[in-house]
């Protein structure tokens, strides 16, 4: 159950966005992209936006007889809603859906669709406009640790084609330089998984010794 404080905060943001869209449209679109990506992580269905806008407009219509003010509020909030719906729709990748479900099988099935050269990108960055969200970090911060473990393991598997090898170590630490600190704070049980993936073991033995990097 939502607290009154949280509901008041949401209402304040509704009025703030509906006003600022007139004066600072580019900045608000950027802010809405960031907000929409968070809603992707929350798994909010886009079908809920239109009824919410209608409810807000109905409340304002009962509070004032100024038809112009009501129409202006309805138009601006409609723009806000459309931007959020677009961001959620574009950001709801199959990887993010698997993360929200905390399903290892769904994640493996989703990432199997990615070309080798784009596999790391799918797991580390979902971008809409100038804003982005990390499926890995969202999985860790939301407590979906089965999905987070699967992402880390997939990133740190060696793959190859005729042209090159693929290994997500560099991509992981370029995207999340503080990944060790993040895991220490929020998911220490995943640290052995990460460290294990950073070690390469040769499949061959020479005189009873196996090369490890």
């Amino acid at each position: 159950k939502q607290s009154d404080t949280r509901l008041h905060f949401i209402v304040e943001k509704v009025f703030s966005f509906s006003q600022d869209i007139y004066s600072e449209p580019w900045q608000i679109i950027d802010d809405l992209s960031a907000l929409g990506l968070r809603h992707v992580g929350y798994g909010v269905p886009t079908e809920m936006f239109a009824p919410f806008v209608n409810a807000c407009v109905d409340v304002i219509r009962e509070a004032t007889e100024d038809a112009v003010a009501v129409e202006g509020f309805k138009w601006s909030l409609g723009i806000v809603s459309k931007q959020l719906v677009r961001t959620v729709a574009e950001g709801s990748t199959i990887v993010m859906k698997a993360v929200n479900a905390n399903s290892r099988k769904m994640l493996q099935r989703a990432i199997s669709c990615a070309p080798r050269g784009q596999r790391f990108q799918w797991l580390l960055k979902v971008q809409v406009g100038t804003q982005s969200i990390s499926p890995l970090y969202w999985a860790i911060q939301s407590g979906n640790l089965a999905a987070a473990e699967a992402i880390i393991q997939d990133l740190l598997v060696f793959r190859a084609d005729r042209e090159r090898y693929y290994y997500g170590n560099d991509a992981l630490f370029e995207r999340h330089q503080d990944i060790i600190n993040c895991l220490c704070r929020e998911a220490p049980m995943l640290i052995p998984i990460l460290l294990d993936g950073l070690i390469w073991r040769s499949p061959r033995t020479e005189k009873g010794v196996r090369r490890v990097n």
Side-chain angles (χ1 to χ4, degrees), residues 17-18 21 24-40 44 46 49-50 53 74-92 127-132:
F17 282 136
S18 64
I21 196 72
E24 301 178 78
W26 294 111
Q27 180 60 48
I28 293 303
I29 292 299
D30 203 43
D31 293 344
L32 289 174
S33 294
L35 179 62
L37 284 174
R38 289 199 296 275
H39 280 71
V40 171
V44 176
T46 56
F49 285 95
V53 170
K74 180 180 180 180
W75 180 86
S76 62
L77 197 56
I79 295 296
V80 170
S81 174
K82 289 178 181 178
Q83 176 63 21
L84 287 173
V85 168
R86 184 183 74 84
T87 302
V88 171
E90 292 184 10
S92 296
Q127 183 151 352
V128 178
T130 60
Q131 301 293 325
S132 65

Side-chain angles (χ1 to χ4, degrees), residues 131-142:
Q131 301 293 325
S132 65
I133 188 173
S134 167
L136 172 58
Y137 262 30
W138 186 264
I140 294 171
Q141 293 167 357
S142 61

Side-chain angles (χ1 to χ4, degrees), residues 111-124 154-155 157 159-168 171:
I111 200 60
S112 67
C113 302
R116 286 191 181 92
Q118 299 179 22
R119 202 176 183 101
F120 309 149
Q121 181 81 1
W122 282 34
L123 294 172
L124 294 173
D154 192 275
L155 285 169
V157 169
R159 293 181 176 87
D161 56 26
R162 293 182 177 181
E163 297 181 358
R164 55 172 293 185
Y165 287 96
Y166 299 90
Y167 179 55

Side-chain angles (χ1 to χ4, degrees), residues 123-124 134-141 145 147-149 151-153 155-156 168-195 198:
L123 294 172
L124 294 173
S134 167
L136 172 58
Y137 262 30
W138 186 264
I140 294 171
Q141 293 167 357
L145 300 185
E149 179 180 344
I151 290 175
I152 292 173
Q153 289 177 332
L155 285 169
L156 299 178
N169 176 42
D170 290 341
L172 173 60
F173 282 95
E174 285 175 7
R175 174 68 169 148
H176 299 304
Q177 298 178 6
D178 61 339
I179 182 64
I180 299 294
N181 289 333
C182 177
L183 292 180
C184 288
R185 291 193 313 269
E186 304 196 34
M189 67 288 299
L190 294 181
I191 292 178
I193 305 297
L194 174 65
L195 296 180
L198 297 178

